[in-house]
Amino acid sequence: MITVIGSINMDLIGTTARLPAPGETVSGSDFTTAPGGKGANQALAARRAGASTKMVGAAGNDAFAAEALALLEAAGADLGSVRRLEGATGIALILVGGDGENVIVVIPGANGKVTPEDAGDAIAAMSPGDTVLLQMEIPEAAVRAALEAARAKGVRSILNIAPLTDTVERLAPLADIVIANETEFARLSGRPVEALDEVKAELEALHARSGQCLIITLGGDGVLWARDGISGHVPSLKITPVDTVGAGDTFCGYLAQGLDAGMAFEQAVRRAAAAGALACLTPGAQPSIPLAEDVDARL
């Protein structure tokens, strides 16, 4: 069983030929909505990868709540620990220009009311050896409570340090496994580097200091990892990406499922990397998450 404690959002996406300057009004061309939130995205990825998955979080009592949870519900995820609160569901307002640039405003809504008690109750319902997956879109106190309780109970904890916030230095050391992209990892290591061999050297150095399992997702350059004194590199599938927005969350959910199922570590990383690449072939976050049979067919 994988428990995901995290955010549930509704994404409101508008497109326009160019992004407006401050105070300017421009005409848009398209508008779409899609379920989102890093927690919900990763829970759906774990479920589509083949895991029994429980989502822990909060949604509002507005019209967006049901739609934000629709794909998770359709996939058979356990939503019994999603609290319905007075007020708004989390919202991401996304404006995309014709050149691919975007501006995003995230309004936490109910996500900002996920409590340490919610996290503690979720871990209390788990068994030693289960897996909890967390991100950084709910309050620090809730993430900390989950990580500390997981360590005390022998639950494997995976923390995706996205979106990057000032809490990362405090929270990352509490997790068994930390997943970051290059920018997020540079914040952890304190030394931004660009070349792949330099990133690998920094990864190995931080692993030697912390003893943690560390994973860096590198987009088209694949995935670097360090674990138990050993490091490795898994290349990405060769694809022509359409939309990369769901790739990181897909990787996290698939990795959690692979490890929870007892898959060998490097095999779980390789499968998660393939899933993340396939998620780039379809627009949107949750709609792009591939099914397990499609990932396994590519491997």
Side-chain angles (χ1 to χ4, degrees):
M1 166 69 77
I2 293 173
T3 297
V4 181
I5 307 174
S7 56
I8 300 162
N9 285 345
M10 195 66 208
D11 294 347
L12 311 180
I13 309 159
T15 59
T16 180
R18 63 177 179 83
L19 298 177
E24 182 184 19
T25 299
V26 298
S27 294
S29 53
D30 293 291
F31 175 75
T32 57
T33 63
K38 296 192 72 62
N41 295 347
Q42 293 180 17
L44 183 61
R47 180 67 186 136
R48 287 186 177 174
S52 297
T53 306
K54 176 187 285 189
M55 180 72 217
V56 178
N61 62 351
D62 56 2
F64 289 128
E67 191 175 354
L69 293 166
L71 290 181
L72 277 172
E73 184 174 17
D78 181 349
L79 302 180
S81 295
V82 175
R83 292 196 295 132
R84 299 298 185 90
L85 304 177
E86 186 74 23
T89 299
I91 295 294
L93 302 172
I94 305 169
L95 189 60
V96 183
D99 59 357
E101 288 294 323
N102 62 74
V103 292
I104 302 174
V105 177
V106 176
I107 303 166
N111 295 316
K113 300 175 182 177
V114 178
T115 66
E117 290 74 24
D118 293 328
D121 290 346
I123 301 298
M126 301 175 73
S127 300
D130 285 349
T131 300
V132 62
L133 179 57
L134 299 125
Q135 320 78 32
M136 309 280 279
E137 283 187 332
I138 58 174
E140 176 185 2
V143 177
R144 175 179 290 276
L147 291 170
E148 290 177 343
R151 179 161 292 182
K153 191 163 188 175
V155 168
R156 177 195 291 114
S157 61
I158 303 175
L159 176 63
N160 176 213
I161 56 169
L164 191 60
T165 73
D166 291 339
T167 67
V168 65
E169 289 90 352
R170 297 189 293 271
L171 294 176
L174 303 176
D176 296 322
I177 300 171
V178 174
I179 301 173
N181 64 21
E182 287 177 89
T183 301
E184 294 151 2
F185 177 73
R187 175 70 172 269
L188 274 188
S189 69
R191 183 170 177 264
V193 291
E194 295 183 3
L196 186 62
D197 59 343
E198 293 178 331
V199 177
K200 186 172 184 289
E202 285 297 313
L203 172 69
E204 291 169 346
L206 182 57
H207 172 62
R209 295 195 300 271
S210 70
Q212 284 177 296
C213 176
L214 303 171
I215 299 171
I216 310 175
T217 56
L218 303 167
D221 289 329
V223 178
L224 284 170
W225 58 268
R227 175 178 181 262
D228 295 338
I230 302 170
S231 63
H233 175 244
V234 172
S236 175
L237 295 180
K238 300 303 180 184
I239 60 162
T240 301
V242 173
D243 180 353
T244 63
V245 68
D249 291 335
T250 297
F251 176 89
C252 292
Y254 264 79
L255 180 75
Q257 184 276 332
L259 296 179
D260 192 68
M263 198 176 292
F265 179 80
E266 189 164 2
Q267 180 186 2
V269 173
R270 189 174 301 277
R271 185 168 181 260
L278 294 180
C280 298
L281 299 178
T282 305
Q286 291 190 21
S288 72
I289 298 170
L291 297 172
E293 52 262 37
D294 297 324
V295 177
D296 294 336
R298 286 298 296 265
L299 290 172

